[in-house]
Amino acid sequence: MDVSPGTQDGPGPEWDRAVLWALFSEAPSGLLVLDRDLRLVRFNSAARHVDSVPLSHALGRRLADWAGDFYDAGVEATLRDVLDSGVPALDIEMTGHLASEKTETALSVSCFRLADQDSGVLGVALAIVDVTDRQRSRKRLELLRRAGGRIGTTLDIFRTAQELADELSPALADVVVVEVLDAVLRGEAASPGPVLESGPLRCAGQRTLPELEARGISEIGEVIGLSFATPFVQCMTDLQTRLVNRLAPHTAWLEREPRRGRHLVGLGAHSLMVLPLTARGVVLGLARCYRLGQAPAFDEEDLAVAAELADRAALCLDNARLYNRERSAARILQLTLRPARVTDHPAVETAFSYRPFGPGGDWFDVIPLSGARVALVAGDTAGRGIRAAATMGEVRSAIGVLAVLDLPPDEVLQRLHALVTRLEGEQRQSDDGDDDSRERTCLYMVYDPVSRRCTMASAGHPAPVLAHPDGTVEYADVPSGPPLGRGMPDYRTTDVELPEGCVVTLANAALLRAASGTREERLAHLHDALLPSARPLQEICDALIYTLAPERADNDAVLLLARTRVLGPDRVGTWTLPNDPAAVAGARASVESRLAAWGLEAHAFTAALVVSELVTNAVRYSHGDIGLRLVLDGTTLVCEVTDDSSTAPHLRHAEAGDEGGRGLSITSQMSTRWGTRPEARGKTIWAEVPLTDEV
């Protein structure tokens, strides 16, 4: 810039001096002129922005000697570059504190070189503009932008509350405490109104100055009471923010709020903002912000920014509340639909571990079958939430119904596959979600303690692990068919003979995958945990969980162990009867004789009556020989009659004038359970006679 006193054709020196005087006296922006050594030589009246020291005392002094908080070595280097190159430097931001103000001031400085008409460098000129408001607005927008990506990163109420506190402090406040209603933690919704009736408030997040951390502001999880006629209750009643510019020790409501008010005033708090946390018409809690010491009091702009952050956080908190509500409902549904307890069965001793990571669809079951047999079932439904828990309940209920039919495992899975396929078709019409989220697997196995035969089939579920009494641990060789509802229902069974004391391990796929390594390496881990297999079964179960479960679970852990028992010949009686009405008397005599040998003469009449009715029914409707078997099953006597007819009997109630038709009715009254099961040739009708006084 050429500031020479005039040119040959210009207005002249007088005009130049007038312009310079007007420029330095009337310009609204600060103007400073520094010489080549960066010493102040001239300034205008608007240059008050750098009055760290009176500028009149700064004349002739270098920039570093009088600029105070605004001095920066980088800025001085920039000014020297302008002197050397002549290229102006525009809009350099500098921050500092004015001598007359406590708040930080932001200045925008533009500088350019001063040279005369002979290109002699005279110095630099600085134009200064106060951009404090612009910088504050930019910082607030940046705070809102940053907070939008940092608040609500999880569906955890405490984590979200802490994220809000971290964003508000120290950016806007020295101390921030976020409190939520206890009802919100349970997933419940509280409506606007008398907040004291909505339950207590609990500290869910807090942030304070490092020097105050040991002064007992609030502890996470702490319940702090509320009193009427305070900004906090008013805020949560009308859902309006509260700004208290000045907190004085004599303020009346402070006496009613010792923790939220008087304690912090004693620590130096002088300004307060109270922000309601509400979303979708649900009152969630409040956030309270304090400034302490020399910090300026909160103003309306601070309140507006904090309120917007609180609104964003409240929406995230409500999302977390809704998630907790659904998760709790799904968890209750899941725990309701799983087996309430697993009792020992004459065929097996059982132990289990059921550790749900979240509401999911992993499950197991132990189902008593006829003839002292037992069905062991394990299944998995992918996904989370109510849908997965409900699906698990559907499949488990269906298996329970199919098990009563005494079908072979492969046929049970085939019928279950058809049912699941139909249910998926119905769900697909009303749900646009991914079908893979509903994938279901199942392992179904039946163990007979008399023959020691175990028959099993799998629909995409991991094979059971067998730990034999001789120390051998192996996977059962089970052909794995497709998951339920996927592909063609091609399920095959396999039969294995299990010795007494063999430990059968059924687990969900996620638990087995948690054990690192290959299939053989996982088997080695199982080998060490399962042996010796004669230990208490629950101890083995715990050892397996310790071995297989990861340090940080991300899925359910379902484990079912069954140790086989054997019902020897001393507890079983078997006869083959001719298909002749006279065989009924022989059957009664055989039953009475065997019960006498077992010391159960008191139950001989009932058992003989049941057997005679079943044998009579077989003689009437079949043609070949008839099989009779008695099994002493703990406190129950199982009576089985097998014939070559595939026609299943149906219970009907005979009328008063009917001469027949009362056989099965008598059987049902004399037994706790009865039914039929298909055989390779014909069927077996069975009934369980209690060996107690109760029927």
Side-chain angles (χ1 to χ4, degrees):
M1 177 180 179
D2 192 346
V3 294
S4 57
T7 63
Q8 184 175 357
D9 299 324
E14 292 298 329
W15 186 87
D16 289 344
R17 282 193 292 272
V19 169
L20 288 173
W21 179 87
L23 180 64
F24 274 85
S25 61
E26 303 295 334
S29 300
L31 295 176
L32 302 177
V33 177
L34 309 179
D35 64 14
R36 287 178 297 183
D37 294 326
L38 301 183
R39 290 190 294 263
L40 181 64
V41 296
R42 191 167 184 176
F43 61 91
N44 69 345
S45 58
R48 60 180 180 79
H49 305 292
V50 289
D51 61 350
S52 296
V53 296
L55 288 181
S56 58
H57 297 167
L59 288 173
R61 299 171 59 189
R62 295 171 58 85
L63 180 68
D65 297 332
W66 56 266
D69 289 348
F70 294 96
Y71 176 75
D72 187 294
V75 173
E76 182 171 337
T78 300
L79 297 181
R80 294 197 179 277
D81 288 342
V82 172
L83 280 173
D84 295 337
S85 65
V87 179
L90 305 177
D91 202 18
I92 305 171
E93 285 200 3
M94 306 168 60
T95 56
H97 290 80
L98 302 179
S100 59
E101 298 183 18
K102 297 179 181 179
T103 58
E104 190 176 68
T105 301
L107 305 177
S108 175
V109 179
S110 296
C111 62
F112 45 89
R113 188 172 69 179
L114 301 175
D116 61 13
Q117 62 183 356
D118 297 326
S119 298
V121 177
L122 303 176
V124 292
L126 280 65
I128 303 175
V129 178
D130 189 336
V131 293
T132 303
D133 292 339
R134 185 178 74 183
Q135 187 184 70
R136 288 178 181 173
S137 297
R138 186 171 66 246
K139 287 183 177 180
R140 289 187 174 109
L141 289 174
E142 175 61 23
L143 173 61
L144 293 174
R145 184 198 64 78
R146 184 179 68 247
R150 294 183 178 179
I151 297 177
T153 58
T154 66
L155 290 172
D156 182 87
I157 291 178
F158 282 90
R159 177 71 176 273
T160 302
Q162 187 59 51
E163 288 168 347
L164 173 60
D166 291 341
E167 291 303 318
L168 288 172
S169 176
L172 284 178
D174 296 325
V175 176
V176 176
V177 180
V178 180
E179 302 171 27
V180 298
L181 290 165
D182 261 1
V184 173
L185 298 175
R186 298 190 298 270
E188 300 172 5
S191 301
V195 67
L196 296 182
E197 299 177 5
S198 301
L201 282 166
R202 190 176 299 273
C203 176
Q206 65 93 16
R207 177 76 179 265
T208 186
L209 298 174
E211 58 268 24
L212 296 179
E213 290 180 354
R215 302 293 296 275
I217 302 298
S218 289
E219 295 292 335
I220 301 298
E222 177 184 4
V223 175
I224 306 177
L226 276 172
S227 301
F228 281 117
T230 65
F232 312 107
V233 170
Q234 295 298 106
C235 166
M236 293 189 65
T237 301
D238 59 20
L239 304 184
Q240 300 297 315
T241 58
R242 293 294 188 277
L243 175 61
V244 182
N245 297 95
R246 179 174 175 77
L247 280 175
H250 59 272
T251 303
W253 63 264
L254 288 177
E255 294 299 323
R256 293 188 289 273
E257 280 288 355
R259 291 288 291 152
R260 290 185 179 87
R262 192 170 66 246
H263 175 65
L264 282 159
V265 169
L267 296 177
H270 59 77
S271 186
L272 166 68
M273 291 190 299
V274 186
L275 313 169
L277 299 175
T278 178
R280 304 183 183 101
V282 177
V283 179
L284 305 166
L286 62 86
R288 45 192 175 98
C289 309
Y290 301 87
R291 278 185 178 168
L292 286 70
Q294 299 300 315
F298 291 117
D299 56 26
E300 293 294 339
E301 291 186 4
D302 296 324
L303 183 64
V305 174
E308 184 168 350
L309 283 179
D311 288 343
R312 294 187 183 187
L315 187 61
C316 297
L317 286 171
D318 196 46
N319 289 339
R321 178 189 68 83
L322 293 173
Y323 170 75
N324 282 345
R325 184 180 67 180
E326 179 176 344
R327 189 172 185 271
S328 297
R331 180 70 178 276
I332 292 172
L333 179 63
Q334 179 189 25
L335 296 179
T336 301
L337 295 176
R338 76 181 179 102
R341 60 190 180 93
V342 178
T343 58
D344 276 352
H345 188 276
V348 290
E349 175 192 359
T350 56
F352 71 94
S353 181
Y354 187 85
R355 300 184 182 182
F357 169 73
D362 296 353
W363 55 281
F364 70 92
D365 213 340
V366 178
I367 306 174
L369 300 178
S370 63
R373 297 170 305 137
V374 66
L376 305 174
V377 194
D380 187 0
T381 298
R384 287 279 185 274
I386 292 179
R387 171 63 62 82
T391 300
M392 176 266 287
E394 291 174 347
V395 176
R396 179 172 175 261
S397 297
I399 286 235
V401 173
L402 292 172
V404 173
L405 301 177
D406 268 323
L407 300 172
D410 57 339
E411 192 169 343
V412 169
L413 294 182
Q414 287 173 5
R415 297 196 181 192
L416 194 60
H417 181 281
L419 174 64
V420 169
T421 301
R422 181 177 65 81
L423 293 176
E424 281 195 349
E426 295 174 355
Q427 293 175 355
R428 197 176 297 116
Q429 295 177 2
S430 59
D431 184 8
D432 296 331
D434 185 3
D435 288 342
D436 291 339
S437 65
R438 295 190 292 271
E439 185 171 283
R440 306 165 177 89
T441 66
C442 182
L443 174 68
Y444 187 86
M445 54 194 305
V446 175
Y447 173 67
D448 186 342
V450 177
S451 65
R452 296 190 290 117
R453 188 178 70 174
C454 184
T455 306
M456 60 192 81
S458 172
H461 202 80
V465 178
L466 308 177
H468 297 278
D470 62 3
T472 304
V473 177
E474 62 179 352
Y475 287 107
D477 186 14
V478 184
S480 182
L484 299 173
R486 301 281 185 251
M488 295 297 294
D490 183 17
Y491 303 112
R492 309 286 180 85
T493 60
T494 186
D495 289 341
V496 295
E497 188 173 300
L498 301 180
E500 185 174 11
C502 179
V503 176
V504 182
T505 301
L506 289 75
N508 61 323
L511 184 60
L512 292 177
R513 285 196 304 266
S516 60
T518 64
R519 176 183 171 96
E520 289 70 23
E521 290 173 338
R522 287 196 294 269
L523 187 62
H525 283 87
L526 293 169
H527 182 281
D528 295 338
L530 284 168
L531 297 180
S533 60
R535 302 179 352 248
L537 199 59
Q538 191 60 54
E539 179 182 326
I540 299 176
C541 185
D542 293 343
L544 280 174
I545 282 291
Y546 302 151
T547 300
L548 297 177
E551 182 177 352
R552 296 184 61 85
D554 58 0
N555 210 319
D556 297 347
V558 177
L559 190 63
L560 172 64
L561 270 65
R563 180 151 45 206
T564 58
R565 292 168 172 159
V566 173
L567 297 180
D570 59 325
R571 301 179 66 180
V572 180
T574 305
W575 300 269
T576 300
L577 308 175
N579 195 320
D580 188 301
V584 175
R588 292 174 61 93
S590 298
V591 170
E592 292 171 351
S593 174
R594 181 53 58 96
L595 289 182
W598 285 340
L600 299 173
E601 296 90 342
H603 302 280
F605 175 79
T606 302
L609 179 60
V610 169
V611 167
S612 65
E613 294 298 336
L614 296 181
V615 172
T616 299
N617 189 77
V619 169
R620 178 174 300 178
Y621 296 105
S622 66
H623 302 285
D625 290 343
I626 299 170
L628 171 62
R629 188 173 77 159
L630 298 181
V631 179
L632 185 57
D633 179 6
T635 59
T636 301
L637 178 68
V638 182
C639 305
E640 298 180 346
V641 174
T642 304
D643 59 48
D644 59 2
S645 172
S646 59
T647 303
H650 296 281
L651 176 65
R652 70 182 184 88
H653 297 282
E655 300 295 334
D658 293 341
E659 295 183 0
R662 293 182 173 82
L664 288 181
S665 178
I666 294 174
T667 299
S668 66
Q669 295 179 47
M670 294 291 134
S671 58
T672 54
R673 294 194 310 157
W674 74 275
T676 64
R677 67 172 180 265
E679 300 288 353
R681 186 182 69 88
K683 67 178 182 302
T684 294
I685 306 177
W686 56 270
E688 295 180 354
V689 177
L691 300 179
T692 62
D693 294 333
E694 297 181 1
V695 178

